Amino acid sequence: MTHDPHHSVRDLNRPLLQELLAAYGPVGQEDAVRDICRRELTPLVDEVWVDEAGNLVGLLRGSGDESHSPIRVMAHMDELSMLVKRINPDGTLHLTPLGTMYPGNFGLGPVAVLGNHGIVPAVLTLGSEHTTTESWRIWQTKPDRGDKSLDWHHVYVFTGRTTEELAAAGVRPGTRVCIDRSKRSLVEVGGYLGCYFMDDRASVTALLETARRLHADGRRAPADVYFVFTVSEEIGGIGGTYASHALPGDLTLALEVGPTEAEYSTTVGGGPIVAYSDEKSIYDKNIADRLMDIATKLDLSPQAAVLGAFESDASHSVAVGQTARSALLCLPTLSTHGYEVIPADAIPGMTNVLVEFVLAPTA
């Protein structure tokens, strides 16, 4: 597959992607992202609701073909974020991560502390480079000195506020901390797009665009399709597992970013990634084969992959017996859980595969 950036930019709903990337959606506090998704989804489906777990669900009724079962297609709203662990007397904050990441994934710099009564601008910092062994916490992270990997116990958040001011803003242990909006703008790199949190806002965009395409074409899938925008995926697929249990159907298809590394024989210049297994579970071979066939017929050069150190809403759901079958379709992504880069035509490509799949889940 060759990437035509002009064609891709025309097909990609870039304003929607940028709006989603800019919205704060830490684990367990996905409200801002959910509001955008609900606004976009409501005119495109037959019913919309928020379930008890906080997932946004949209139902597009099928044509009533009883030979097909309902399908649940999921993309998660939450992002990698941080949690205030304690507040020091000087108003600095110590953090613990929400999801698998390290300070180096996002770098030192501006963060947003989401207090209950307001957002507090702050800075994630290590401290001065100009230090000696007396500043042991800093010194041990220097590659030419202590040679220790930068981790959460090394860094802290400088707020510039007193503890009383933080309390007035509703900041306490358990408050979420997100990478600041100033670091969330899309960047074009040739025929590619880069930004933090393509995981999973790029897949959320593809799922919304799939609903938009089906609505615009007036086409109905053979069975009901549930568009599910899930919560708390980054800490164990909590929302997706609940939805798999609560909604009809026997198939959960997750949409994700997919790592592009030599160990998986995947490249960021290739087509959509179809997973056959990950660290948590094995995916349904027949469904994976169907996704590969559809992407091949669309001339998208799909990439089959057996993934490690990777989990999804679908693999969590099948691993605990909440769905009979699972599948995973990914956008080829450079630097997952970091500054993520995808082909500019990857979201339209995923959308095309999804449209064809929900209309014809079997050959």
Side-chain angles (χ1 to χ4, degrees):
M1 178 179 66
T2 58
H3 300 296
D4 179 350
H6 301 292
H7 176 76
S8 303
V9 169
R10 186 175 69 244
D11 287 351
L12 172 65
N13 191 339
R14 182 166 176 164
L16 176 58
L17 174 60
Q18 181 60 81
E19 184 180 12
L20 287 164
L21 289 167
Y24 297 133
V27 173
Q29 197 173 328
E30 298 91 347
D31 311 67
V33 181
R34 183 168 46 241
D35 288 346
I36 297 169
C37 293
R38 187 165 197 164
R39 181 197 73 205
E40 296 293 318
L41 187 64
T42 297
L44 307 176
V45 294
D46 298 305
E47 294 181 43
V48 175
W49 67 93
V50 177
D51 69 17
E52 293 301 316
N55 301 307
L56 176 69
V57 184
L59 167 61
L60 187 62
R61 294 192 181 92
S63 62
D65 184 344
E66 295 183 357
S67 66
H68 289 80
S69 298
I71 297 172
R72 302 174 293 258
V73 188
M74 300 183 179
H76 66 88
M77 299 183 291
D78 60 311
E79 65 190 53
L80 293 167
S81 54
M82 297 151 279
L83 201 65
V84 175
K85 185 174 182 179
R86 66 180 180 273
I87 302 174
N88 294 322
D90 63 355
T92 58
L93 311 176
H94 278 265
L95 306 177
T96 190
L98 275 175
T100 303
M101 64 166 183
Y102 302 94
N105 291 66
F106 295 108
L108 308 177
V111 295
V113 183
L114 307 187
N116 288 344
H117 310 306
I119 296 176
V120 177
V123 175
L124 181 67
T125 183
L126 168 66
S128 178
E129 177 68 20
H130 300 90
T131 49
T132 67
T133 54
E134 188 174 340
S135 299
W136 179 254
R137 177 183 54 81
I138 303 170
W139 185 87
Q140 66 176 330
T141 68
K142 295 181 179 182
D144 58 341
R145 303 290 177 85
D147 202 24
K148 300 291 184 182
S149 297
L150 187 67
D151 210 340
W152 293 104
H153 62 274
H154 296 119
V155 299
Y156 64 95
V157 169
F158 175 79
T159 67
R161 309 290 183 97
T162 65
T163 54
E164 291 79 12
E165 289 172 325
L166 291 172
V171 177
R172 60 174 65 97
T175 293
R176 271 63 171 172
V177 179
C178 295
I179 298 303
D180 189 74
R181 192 167 284 122
S182 62
K183 297 178 71 173
R184 293 167 175 254
S185 295
L186 281 165
V187 173
E188 293 187 26
V189 185
Y192 299 81
L193 295 172
C195 194
Y196 294 118
F197 308 118
M198 293 292 192
D199 179 12
D200 202 22
R201 307 297 163 73
S203 299
V204 165
T205 302
L207 188 52
L208 288 168
E209 290 301 292
T210 299
R212 197 182 316 279
R213 279 270 305 279
L214 292 169
H215 179 266
D217 296 346
R219 304 167 76 185
R220 291 279 175 174
D224 293 346
V225 179
Y226 292 90
F227 296 86
V228 189
F229 300 84
T230 66
V231 298
S232 303
E233 187 277 341
E234 295 290 1
I235 57 169
I238 293 172
T241 301
Y242 177 85
S244 292
H245 165 77
L247 295 172
D250 59 14
L251 170 63
T252 296
L253 167 59
L255 309 178
E256 270 287 359
V257 297
T260 53
E261 298 293 343
E263 70 170 285
Y264 306 128
S265 298
T266 54
T267 66
V268 71
I273 296 171
V274 177
Y276 280 78
S277 73
D278 67 18
E279 185 176 288
K280 194 71 177 177
S281 185
I282 195 165
Y283 293 104
D284 186 278
K285 183 179 184 301
N286 291 332
I287 300 298
D289 286 346
R290 177 63 178 153
L291 291 169
M292 288 289 294
D293 289 344
I294 291 171
T296 299
K297 289 177 181 178
L298 292 171
D299 197 27
L300 294 177
S301 304
Q303 307 179 81
V306 173
L307 302 175
F310 192 100
E311 301 168 359
S312 74
D313 278 330
S315 62
H316 276 282
S317 294
V318 76
V320 295
Q322 299 305 314
T323 186
R325 297 180 295 160
S326 64
L328 175 63
L329 179 65
C330 299
L331 302 159
T333 306
L334 180 69
S335 187
T336 54
H337 280 208
Y339 192 85
E340 294 162 331
V341 177
I342 65 171
D345 55 4
I347 293 174
M350 175 180 273
T351 300
N352 291 339
V353 173
L354 284 172
V355 168
E356 295 304 314
F357 177 75
V358 300
L359 292 173
T362 58

